[in-house]
PDB file of all heavy atoms in Angstrom:
ATOM      1  N   GLU B  65       7.214  18.156   9.223  1.00 98.00           N
ATOM      2  CA  GLU B  65       6.713  18.084   7.845  1.00 98.00           C
ATOM      3  C   GLU B  65       6.342  19.510   7.422  1.00 98.00           C
ATOM      4  O   GLU B  65       5.606  20.186   8.127  1.00 98.00           O
ATOM      5  CB  GLU B  65       5.487  17.161   7.806  1.00 98.00           C
ATOM      6  CG  GLU B  65       4.577  17.320   6.597  1.00 98.00           C
ATOM      7  CD  GLU B  65       5.227  16.962   5.262  1.00 98.00           C
ATOM      8  OE1 GLU B  65       5.888  15.914   5.180  1.00 98.00           O
ATOM      9  OE2 GLU B  65       5.088  17.763   4.308  1.00 98.00           O
ATOM     10  N   TYR B  70      -1.330  16.535   3.284  1.00 98.00           N
ATOM     11  CA  TYR B  70      -0.615  15.532   2.497  1.00 98.00           C
ATOM     12  C   TYR B  70      -1.554  15.042   1.396  1.00 98.00           C
ATOM     13  O   TYR B  70      -2.729  14.784   1.651  1.00 98.00           O
ATOM     14  CB  TYR B  70      -0.202  14.361   3.388  1.00 98.00           C
ATOM     15  CG  TYR B  70       0.545  13.267   2.651  1.00 98.00           C
ATOM     16  CD1 TYR B  70       1.878  13.423   2.306  1.00 98.00           C
ATOM     17  CD2 TYR B  70      -0.098  12.082   2.301  1.00 98.00           C
ATOM     18  CE1 TYR B  70       2.569  12.414   1.626  1.00 98.00           C
ATOM     19  CE2 TYR B  70       0.585  11.072   1.625  1.00 98.00           C
ATOM     20  CZ  TYR B  70       1.916  11.249   1.293  1.00 98.00           C
ATOM     21  OH  TYR B  70       2.582  10.254   0.614  1.00 98.00           O
ATOM     22  N   ARG B 191       9.722   5.425  -7.595  1.00 94.00           N
ATOM     23  CA  ARG B 191       8.585   5.129  -6.730  1.00 94.00           C
ATOM     24  C   ARG B 191       7.432   4.581  -7.562  1.00 94.00           C
ATOM     25  O   ARG B 191       7.164   5.053  -8.650  1.00 94.00           O
ATOM     26  CB  ARG B 191       8.155   6.351  -5.917  1.00 94.00           C
ATOM     27  CG  ARG B 191       7.623   7.495  -6.709  1.00 94.00           C
ATOM     28  CD  ARG B 191       6.922   8.566  -5.867  1.00 94.00           C
ATOM     29  NE  ARG B 191       7.410   8.687  -4.509  1.00 94.00           N
ATOM     30  CZ  ARG B 191       7.156   9.725  -3.716  1.00 94.00           C
ATOM     31  NH1 ARG B 191       6.427  10.737  -4.153  1.00 94.00           N
ATOM     32  NH2 ARG B 191       7.612   9.765  -2.503  1.00 94.00           N
ATOM     33  N   ASP B 336      10.451   5.519   0.704  1.00 96.00           N
ATOM     34  CA  ASP B 336      11.056   5.601  -0.625  1.00 96.00           C
ATOM     35  C   ASP B 336      12.541   5.936  -0.613  1.00 96.00           C
ATOM     36  O   ASP B 336      13.234   5.675  -1.591  1.00 96.00           O
ATOM     37  CB  ASP B 336      10.340   6.683  -1.455  1.00 96.00           C
ATOM     38  CG  ASP B 336       9.009   6.193  -2.009  1.00 96.00           C
ATOM     39  OD1 ASP B 336       8.670   5.018  -1.782  1.00 96.00           O
ATOM     40  OD2 ASP B 336       8.335   6.997  -2.672  1.00 96.00           O
TER      41      ASP B 336
HETATM   42  C1  LIG C 501       1.373   8.116  -9.540  1.00 85.16           C
HETATM   43  C2  LIG C 501       1.746   7.310  -8.331  1.00 85.16           C
HETATM   44  C3  LIG C 501       0.952   6.242  -7.947  1.00 85.16           C
HETATM   45  C4  LIG C 501       1.287   5.489  -6.833  1.00 85.16           C
HETATM   46  N1  LIG C 501       0.476   4.438  -6.491  1.00 85.16           N
HETATM   47  C5  LIG C 501       0.795   3.665  -5.432  1.00 85.16           C
HETATM   48  C6  LIG C 501      -0.044   2.572  -5.047  1.00 85.16           C
HETATM   49  O1  LIG C 501      -1.064   2.280  -5.679  1.00 85.16           O
HETATM   50  N2  LIG C 501       0.310   1.841  -3.970  1.00 85.16           N
HETATM   51  C7  LIG C 501       1.417   2.121  -3.234  1.00 85.16           C
HETATM   52  O2  LIG C 501       1.654   1.409  -2.253  1.00 85.16           O
HETATM   53  N3  LIG C 501       2.242   3.154  -3.563  1.00 85.16           N
HETATM   54  C8  LIG C 501       1.958   3.920  -4.642  1.00 85.16           C
HETATM   55  N4  LIG C 501       2.778   4.983  -4.978  1.00 85.16           N
HETATM   56  C9  LIG C 501       4.051   5.177  -4.243  1.00 85.16           C
HETATM   57  C10 LIG C 501       3.895   5.993  -2.978  1.00 85.16           C
HETATM   58  O3  LIG C 501       3.372   7.253  -3.270  1.00 85.16           O
HETATM   59  C11 LIG C 501       5.239   6.170  -2.292  1.00 85.16           C
HETATM   60  O4  LIG C 501       5.900   4.944  -2.232  1.00 85.16           O
HETATM   61  C12 LIG C 501       5.037   6.690  -0.880  1.00 85.16           C
HETATM   62  O5  LIG C 501       4.496   7.975  -0.933  1.00 85.16           O
HETATM   63  C13 LIG C 501       6.351   6.703  -0.102  1.00 85.16           C
HETATM   64  O6  LIG C 501       6.164   7.270   1.147  1.00 85.16           O
HETATM   65  P1  LIG C 501       7.288   8.118   1.848  1.00 85.16           P
HETATM   66  O7  LIG C 501       6.717   8.487   3.168  1.00 85.16           O
HETATM   67  O8  LIG C 501       8.583   7.415   1.785  1.00 85.16           O
HETATM   68  O9  LIG C 501       7.461   9.416   0.934  1.00 85.16           O
HETATM   69  P2  LIG C 501       6.425  10.594   0.689  1.00 85.16           P
HETATM   70  O10 LIG C 501       5.044  10.085   0.691  1.00 85.16           O
HETATM   71  O11 LIG C 501       6.901  11.315  -0.510  1.00 85.16           O
HETATM   72  O12 LIG C 501       6.587  11.530   1.948  1.00 85.16           O
HETATM   73  C14 LIG C 501       7.756  12.227   2.219  1.00 85.16           C
HETATM   74  C15 LIG C 501       7.412  13.455   3.046  1.00 85.16           C
HETATM   75  O13 LIG C 501       8.621  14.006   3.575  1.00 85.16           O
HETATM   76  C16 LIG C 501       8.534  15.402   3.552  1.00 85.16           C
HETATM   77  N5  LIG C 501       9.911  15.923   3.567  1.00 85.16           N
HETATM   78  C17 LIG C 501      10.860  15.780   2.607  1.00 85.16           C
HETATM   79  N6  LIG C 501      11.991  16.389   2.991  1.00 85.16           N
HETATM   80  C18 LIG C 501      11.778  16.914   4.220  1.00 85.16           C
HETATM   81  C19 LIG C 501      12.579  17.667   5.124  1.00 85.16           C
HETATM   82  N7  LIG C 501      13.838  17.977   4.841  1.00 85.16           N
HETATM   83  N8  LIG C 501      12.017  18.052   6.291  1.00 85.16           N
HETATM   84  C20 LIG C 501      10.736  17.737   6.593  1.00 85.16           C
HETATM   85  N9  LIG C 501       9.938  17.031   5.765  1.00 85.16           N
HETATM   86  C21 LIG C 501      10.453  16.622   4.593  1.00 85.16           C
HETATM   87  C22 LIG C 501       7.753  15.701   2.276  1.00 85.16           C
HETATM   88  O14 LIG C 501       7.136  16.965   2.337  1.00 85.16           O
HETATM   89  C23 LIG C 501       6.761  14.547   2.238  1.00 85.16           C
HETATM   90  O15 LIG C 501       5.530  14.880   2.841  1.00 85.16           O
HETATM   91  C24 LIG C 501       2.449   5.786  -6.081  1.00 85.16           C
HETATM   92  C25 LIG C 501       3.244   6.860  -6.469  1.00 85.16           C
HETATM   93  C26 LIG C 501       2.913   7.617  -7.580  1.00 85.16           C
HETATM   94  C27 LIG C 501       3.784   8.751  -7.975  1.00 85.16           C
END
Side-chain angles (χ1 to χ4, degrees):
Chain B
E65 161 64 46
Y70 180 77
R191 65 167 29 165
D336 282 358

